[in-house]
Amino acid sequence: MALLFRRHGWPLSLAMLLIVAFWIVIQVVLPQLLMIDFSFRPNLLPSELGGPKDGYTLGNYRTLWANDVHFAIFVKTIVASAVVTLLTFAVCYPIAFHLAYELKGPKAARLMLVLVIPFWINEILRTFAWYIVLAYAGPLNALLVWLGILDEPMRFLDGNGGVMIGMVYAYLLFMVFPLYNAIESLDPAQVEAARDLGASWGRIHRRVVIPHAKPGIATGCIMVFMLAAGSYAVPALLGSPNSRWFTEIIYNWFFEGGNWNQGAAYAFILLLLCVGFIFAMMRVFRVSLGELTR
């Protein structure tokens, strides 16, 4: 704080702090407090507000445990989001290592640009493009049938497969950049020393690269998991009635059922889950909150 005031002076520093405080309070704190208040109140008619029925209750939270369908979708969303996180890490780790260790200068910049350019397009449009690619009569099925890999087209959009593919692609950069930043700071001499001592590439990654990149791995996993668990557009476009996401249930409570109190309770449960996942990743990778935010 003192460094901020010395660098920019009192007037500018105070203005910056006020803007940040206003943003946090208005955009983050107050909406969350309002959502929490909604979640503990019953859904009442306007005439019943302030009456004897208008009190705090846990009924909205009990609904999730009492409704077997909603609870099953909730558990499936957690598991599927974890699988999406693992798949995204498996895809992004080789890319990040290649960018940070094997490529230098203009080559790395060009490849990074190739990764970033598709994300200049709106997420819904990119997701709908995957809908076209994965459709029963889409180009992917046509190619697989033409190559003889499939005897007949496959329905990619009937289960969770299309949702998984769409999410891995949608959140690719949120895993690549933290991994790249962490691996780039690794001293190449450590890798060369391990190679000179006869370590295999698998052992080098397991004993040298991955331990060094733990903050980047934790950050990438947290970002991808939270985005996947809270995604609505991807499962809505690429999913089917058999692959509903928990966010779709929340949307239905708010905008189709008109029960904002129940929707707020479900949303708060999802928020608690994401916060718990953050602390779990910090414990698993043994990193502090400061290391995650670097």
Side-chain angles (χ1 to χ4, degrees):
M1 185 71 70
L3 179 61
L4 177 68
F5 284 104
R6 284 199 303 269
R7 179 175 298 178
H8 300 288
W10 280 91
L12 182 58
S13 299
L14 186 59
M16 293 169 61
L17 289 175
L18 288 175
I19 292 172
V20 172
F22 176 81
W23 178 268
I24 292 176
V25 171
I26 300 300
Q27 297 292 329
V28 180
V29 176
L30 289 182
Q32 296 299 332
L33 291 177
L34 187 62
M35 182 185 72
I36 294 172
D37 182 70
F38 271 35
S39 69
F40 285 104
R41 292 182 180 274
N43 185 37
L44 301 175
L45 296 173
S47 59
E48 295 176 321
L49 296 177
K53 296 181 180 179
D54 190 6
Y56 290 106
T57 176
L58 294 175
N60 294 323
Y61 290 91
R62 296 193 192 99
T63 302
L64 178 61
W65 320 116
N67 192 315
D68 294 337
V69 175
H70 289 184
F71 185 74
I73 293 174
F74 175 68
V75 173
K76 189 213 73 172
T77 300
I78 298 173
V79 175
S81 298
V83 173
V84 168
T85 303
L86 291 175
L87 291 175
T88 308
F89 173 75
V91 171
C92 295
Y93 180 80
I95 298 174
F97 181 79
H98 184 66
L99 282 169
Y101 182 77
E102 299 178 358
L103 291 183
K104 301 294 181 182
K107 291 184 178 179
R110 284 196 293 268
L111 183 54
M112 193 74 75
L113 186 63
V114 170
L115 291 174
V116 171
I117 285 177
F119 289 83
W120 293 352
I121 303 172
N122 183 273
E123 180 184 355
I124 295 178
L125 294 178
R126 287 186 281 111
T127 304
F128 191 72
W130 273 109
Y131 178 86
I132 296 173
V133 171
L134 299 174
Y136 185 77
L140 179 60
N141 269 319
L143 177 63
L144 294 177
V145 171
W146 181 74
L147 293 174
I149 299 175
L150 295 178
D151 294 329
E152 59 182 17
M154 180 181 295
R155 297 188 180 276
F156 291 104
L157 302 177
D158 273 357
N160 294 313
V163 178
M164 296 286 185
I165 294 172
M167 285 192 175
V168 169
Y169 175 76
Y171 309 130
L172 197 73
L173 295 185
F174 295 97
M175 182 70 77
V176 167
F177 285 136
L179 289 175
Y180 171 78
N181 290 332
I183 297 174
E184 189 184 32
S185 63
L186 175 66
D187 187 354
Q190 297 184 40
V191 178
E192 295 302 325
R195 294 182 64 184
D196 293 340
L197 292 172
S200 63
W201 271 113
R203 190 174 180 84
I204 290 173
H205 284 284
R206 189 171 64 253
R207 300 295 296 273
V208 179
V209 181
I210 291 180
H212 179 82
K214 285 194 298 183
I217 297 173
T219 302
C221 289
I222 288 171
M223 294 178 69
V224 172
F225 179 87
M226 293 180 68
L227 289 169
S231 176
Y232 176 78
V234 176
L237 288 175
L238 300 180
S240 66
N242 296 326
S243 59
R244 298 186 72 189
W245 220 251
F246 193 62
T247 47
E248 296 179 86
I249 305 298
I250 297 174
Y251 178 90
N252 290 340
W253 278 121
F254 272 104
F255 299 106
E256 294 183 10
N259 192 339
W260 283 42
N261 304 87
Q262 187 64 68
Y266 277 26
F268 188 59
I269 291 172
L270 186 62
L271 175 63
L272 291 178
L273 169 69
C274 292
V275 172
F277 184 81
I278 293 174
F279 286 106
M281 289 294 99
M282 291 171 60
R283 186 174 182 83
V284 168
F285 290 100
R286 297 180 181 178
V287 295
S288 63
L289 190 61
E291 291 177 299
L292 291 178
T293 55
R294 285 179 184 174

